[in-house]
């Protein structure tokens, strides 16, 4: 199951939806809005998607997860619109017989989502300054530990 | 032929519109589209060079032929998650 | 935070407890009671712990997680007593700035818990047959993919 | 000295008790305790050989000296999670 939504993500319902008596393991990942990126304060984020392509790519990620691992249920949900600090921007939940598949599939799904799915975030600081985040490929490839060096381009309003 | 090109995030801000009509030759590839976009929106230059192009919701390389009716989009480096 | 409990694990509250505005990533793992282990039907499990040692070892796992990774909050909860199919036996929740640390720390914690913490499960089938599960070290080391070959020793009642 | 040894899971079932008193020499190690347990509960044999011994809530190797008042436990292979 994949979905884009303007509403807060109910990750508890999502986790319950992937749980089942056949599956001994559930892995859940939540991405949430941080108040600081390096020393830059974030007041809120705006996520924008190219919806038909984003949902298609998310469905392809689910299909690839099912091809690579024996999993039970898979859920990928990304929120779009304005999100305040602490809100959940993305949730990935995977159930499986055993934990290795649940962890590996969950991580593959979020890693691939961040690499391929056409969704963008715009950061806004308390002073109103901000901009769209368009990582350079070097930084993107350097994994999430480097995300706070993402390029922020331009000033919004 | 005339194609409608969807633009997102900073690419949209730079072009000043979320969808633009672009004329390309009747036999054209993604490379031709990129060239036409660069001429029409010089400010897109650097970001366009770093962006992917999607045709009908799949990433498309520069050799990909375009047809009337294709849904085309400029996909700047993504930052979801 | 580490805890043994006789009550159902409220993993939603646990996840909320590790979330926070500084942390952009949360990883949650749930172990749940499967209805089948290979072709063996499980009706319920009984988990038993050596409580003071189990909580000490769980606290050591949390400390080691904090030593190895930069994490926000860590929660390890294991349920003991009788659990029906589908119930959550263990929950591990970790928040961190970025997803790599959250995933790696969560996985280390559950892997190490399963290896070192003095907790045992007894399987009972619908016909009342069952027994304590005491994996041989070869199987234990072969990771969770092999768990359905665990040795079940003896017949209970 | 006399030590109280805690037993769990199948080890408890085999010994018929969750805590047993075991006499060991005044100067004794975990190895001495294992030997005394084997004599007292022959049925424990195979499982005891595969079990760890914990002293005061830490895993202890066979050379570990024992003292009166130590909290000692037999830890069969664990299966939590």
């Amino acid at each position: 199951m994949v979905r884009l939504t303007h509403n807060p993500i109910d990750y508890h319902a999502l986790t319950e939806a992937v749980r089942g008596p056949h599956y001994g393991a559930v892995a859940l990942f939540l991405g949430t809005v941080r108040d600081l990126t390096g020393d830059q304060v974030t007041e809120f984020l705006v996520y924008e998607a190219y919806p038909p392509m984003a949902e298609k790519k998310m469905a392809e990620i689910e299909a690839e997860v099912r091809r690579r691992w024996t999993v039970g249920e898979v859920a990928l949900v990304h929120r779009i619109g304005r999100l305040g600090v602490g809100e959940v921007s993305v949730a990935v939940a995977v159930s499986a017989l055993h934990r290795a598949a649940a962890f590996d599939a969950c991580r593959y799904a979020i890693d691939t989502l961040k690499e391929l799915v056409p969704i963008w975030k715009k950061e806004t600081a308390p002073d109103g300054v901000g901009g769209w985040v368009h990582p350079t490929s070097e930084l993107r490839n350097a994994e999430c530990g480097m995300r706070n060096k993402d390029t922020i381009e331009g000033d919004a309003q | 032929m005339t194609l409608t090109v969807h633009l997102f995030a900073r690419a949209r801000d730079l072009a000043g519109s979320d969808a633009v009509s672009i004329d390309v030759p009747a036999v054209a590839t993604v490379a031709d589209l990129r060239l036409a976009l660069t001429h029409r929106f010089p400010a897109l230059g650097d970001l366009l060079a770093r962006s992917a192009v999607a045709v009908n919701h799949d990433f498309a390389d520069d050799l990909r032929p375009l047809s009337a009716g294709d849904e085309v989009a400029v996909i700047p480096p993504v930052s979801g998650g």
Side-chain angles (χ1 to χ4, degrees), chain A residues 48 50 57 133 140 153, chain B residues 12 50 58 71 78-79 81:
Chain A
E48 170 179 306
Y50 176 21
K57 294 296 145 193
V133 179
R140 174 59 76 181
E153 302 185 22
Chain B
R12 181 194 47 236
R50 298 204 293 122
D58 281 316
E71 183 171 328
V78 301
S79 52

Side-chain angles (χ1 to χ4, degrees), chain A residues 11-77:
Chain A
Y11 69 82
H12 184 217
L14 209 68
T15 309
E16 286 299 298
V18 304
R19 268 157 49 60
H22 303 336
Y23 313 121
V26 176
L28 170 72
F29 174 80
L30 301 179
T32 62
V33 179
R34 270 182 289 128
D35 54 1
L36 284 175
T37 298
D39 54 4
Q40 175 65 52
V41 176
T42 294
E43 188 178 11
F44 63 88
L45 297 182
V46 174
Y47 282 94
E48 170 179 306
Y50 176 21
M53 183 171 173
E55 290 185 339
K56 182 178 184 187
K57 294 296 145 193
M58 289 164 76
E60 288 174 5
I61 291 170
E62 177 177 351
E64 182 66 13
V65 160
R66 292 183 177 283
R67 200 185 66 76
R68 292 194 190 196
W69 293 280
T70 301
V71 295
E73 301 297 331
V74 179
L76 278 83
V77 178

Side-chain angles (χ1 to χ4, degrees), chain A residues 10 14 17 24 42 54-56 69 73 76 81 84 94 97-98 101 106-107 113-114 117 122-123 126-127 139:
Chain A
D10 183 348
L14 209 68
T42 294
E55 290 185 339
K56 182 178 184 187
W69 293 280
E73 301 297 331
L76 278 83
V94 180
L97 276 178
H98 301 291
C106 186
R107 186 154 188 179
L113 183 150
K114 289 176 85 94
V117 174
K122 183 169 151 180
E123 299 182 337
D127 57 9
L139 292 174

Side-chain angles (χ1 to χ4, degrees), chain A residues 47-48 50 52-53 56-57 78 89-90 114-117 119-121 132-136 140 153, chain B residues 6-13 47 50 54 56-59 71 73 75-81:
Chain A
Y47 282 94
E48 170 179 306
Y50 176 21
M53 183 171 173
K56 182 178 184 187
K57 294 296 145 193
H78 203 296
S89 54
V90 63
K114 289 176 85 94
E115 193 180 319
L116 290 183
V117 174
I119 299 175
W120 300 270
K121 73 175 167 192
W132 291 103
V133 179
H134 293 307
T136 64
R140 174 59 76 181
E153 302 185 22
Chain B
H6 298 270
L7 297 161
F8 298 95
R10 178 129 174 94
R12 181 194 47 236
D13 291 354
L47 183 58
R50 298 204 293 122
N56 300 332
H57 311 142
D58 281 316
F59 292 105
E71 183 171 328
I75 310 290
V78 301
S79 52

